[in-house]
């Protein structure tokens, strides 16, 4: 006789992932660079959901841009039977909500705890602030120093202890948000549970780490957070280029402060 016990949502999701590899929960599309691909890819990789990246052989960006991209830009999130989602923050929240509702990762969006939800949103917003600071003061694989407003003054401010775009000021603020060791033990490092915001933030912090690992030396709790997430098995495929996102080259590259 069939059991009357219903399978848990998490068990059902795992079964779906195991038996339906051809039916992912979503597809995440981005260019082949870290930039905003790593933060959104981290949220996807740690969601517990089956997913895929764009097919490099068939993905037609000009066609997608004209017909499906709400704001004519990547990243884009495609969900079966639903509208495409644009903007990295909205994509992170959409994936987190899917993971929570499906039971693949309960609490991933923080919706079962107001504090966790608020912290997750704060981390996404702060990650984008750090990303914007890097865009202003750091050369990229496409834009060299001196072009696109990337002045030596902005570059120096980015790596100084003061100034509007100073990374050290951003890191000092994040250091205050990391939960202390004497707080209630939890799986999360900023929240009671690990939320999408933590992994999105890591995707930006890693790009700072690639430029100068010493940037974390004055913020030991933030450095510990970075190292813990870096060691997680879900993280490694993104760094090695073996995740559904494929290989992503470094976007922010060395500038004068890194000896370039």
């Amino acid at each position: 006789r069939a059991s009357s016990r219903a399978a848990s949502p998490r068990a059902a999701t795992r079964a779906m992932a195991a038996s339906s590899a051809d039916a992912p929960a979503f597809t995440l599309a981005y260019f082949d660079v870290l930039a905003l691909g790593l933060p959104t890819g981290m949220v996807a990789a740690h969601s517990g959901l089956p997913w895929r990246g764009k097919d490099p052989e068939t993905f037609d960006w000009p066609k997608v841009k004209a017909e499906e991209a709400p704001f004519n830009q990547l990243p884009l999130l495609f969900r079966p039977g639903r509208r495409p989602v644009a903007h990295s923050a909205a994509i992170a929240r959409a994936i987190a909500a899917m993971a929570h509702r499906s039971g693949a990762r309960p609490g991933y969006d923080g919706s079962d705890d107001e504090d966790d939800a608020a912290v997750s949103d704060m981390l996404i917003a702060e990650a984008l602030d750090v990303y914007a600071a890097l865009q202003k003061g750091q050369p990229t694989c496409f834009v060299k120093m001196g072009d696109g407003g990337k002045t030596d003054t902005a570059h120096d401010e980015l790596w100084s202890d003061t100034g509007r775009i100073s990374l050290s000021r951003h890191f000092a603020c994040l250091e205050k948000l990391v939960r202390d060791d004497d707080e209630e033990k939890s799986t999360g490092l900023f929240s009671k549970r690990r939320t999408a915001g933590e992994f999105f933030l890591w995707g930006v912090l890693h790009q700072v780490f690639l430029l100068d690992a010493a940037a974390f030396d004055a913020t030991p709790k933030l450095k510990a957070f970075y190292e813990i997430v870096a060691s997680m098995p879900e993280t490694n495929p993104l760094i090695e280029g073996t995740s559904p996102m494929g290989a992503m080259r470094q976007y922010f590259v060395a500038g004068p402060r890194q000896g370039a």
Side-chain angles (χ1 to χ4, degrees):
R1 192 179 67 164
S3 171
S4 60
R5 283 181 68 187
S8 70
R10 185 167 226 166
T13 300
R14 286 174 175 163
M16 178 183 71
S19 64
S20 185
D22 293 331
F26 58 85
T27 298
L28 181 59
Y30 193 59
F31 304 110
D32 298 328
V33 293
L34 294 177
L36 294 173
L38 185 57
T40 51
M42 283 290 291
V43 174
H46 288 266
S47 70
L49 292 167
W51 64 290
R52 71 175 121 191
K54 70 180 189 298
D55 183 341
E57 300 297 323
T58 62
F59 186 75
D60 185 344
W61 171 229
K63 186 174 187 296
V64 171
K65 182 178 181 179
E67 299 178 3
E68 298 184 82
F71 301 103
N72 302 322
Q73 62 186 18
L74 295 177
L76 283 174
L77 177 70
F78 297 98
R79 304 165 297 165
R82 297 178 181 271
R83 298 173 69 176
V85 181
H87 284 307
S88 57
I91 288 170
R93 294 184 181 102
I95 294 173
M98 294 168 66
H100 173 72
R101 286 197 306 268
S102 69
R105 187 149 197 167
Y108 198 42
D109 61 351
S111 62
D112 55 358
D113 185 286
E114 288 186 14
D115 279 348
D116 282 3
V119 171
S120 184
D121 281 351
M122 284 194 288
L123 294 178
I124 291 172
E126 175 61 10
L128 290 173
D129 282 349
V130 172
Y131 184 83
L134 288 165
Q135 285 282 31
K136 291 176 182 176
Q138 193 68 22
T140 72
C141 57
F142 303 114
V143 183
K144 65 181 186 297
M145 286 298 301
D147 292 347
K150 296 180 186 292
T151 64
D152 288 339
T153 299
H155 183 67
D156 286 341
E157 182 180 326
L158 181 71
W159 295 99
S160 71
D161 294 331
T162 59
R164 187 169 51 86
I165 65 171
S166 164
L167 289 175
S168 66
R169 290 186 63 189
H170 282 288
F171 283 17
C173 292
L174 286 165
E175 181 81 354
K176 293 186 292 186
L177 272 180
V178 182
R179 292 169 65 88
D180 291 325
D181 291 340
D182 59 355
E183 291 188 59
E184 178 186 351
K185 295 298 181 183
S186 60
T187 58
L189 295 159
F190 288 88
S191 306
K192 297 181 187 69
R193 297 190 191 194
R194 290 191 176 121
T195 60
E198 294 191 2
F199 297 112
F200 189 96
L201 172 66
W202 190 93
V204 174
L205 295 182
H206 180 63
Q207 296 181 71
V208 177
F209 180 86
L210 291 175
L211 295 169
D212 186 1
F216 294 85
D217 288 350
T219 51
K221 291 192 293 184
L222 185 65
K223 182 178 182 179
F225 160 76
Y226 171 82
E227 292 173 345
I228 288 169
V229 176
S231 70
M232 293 178 180
E234 297 90 345
T235 300
N236 190 62
L238 282 158
I239 305 308
E240 297 296 324
T242 58
S243 82
M245 297 293 284
M248 295 181 285
R249 65 172 165 151
Q250 188 169 338
Y251 177 64
F252 296 108
V253 297
R257 283 294 190 102
Q258 292 80 46

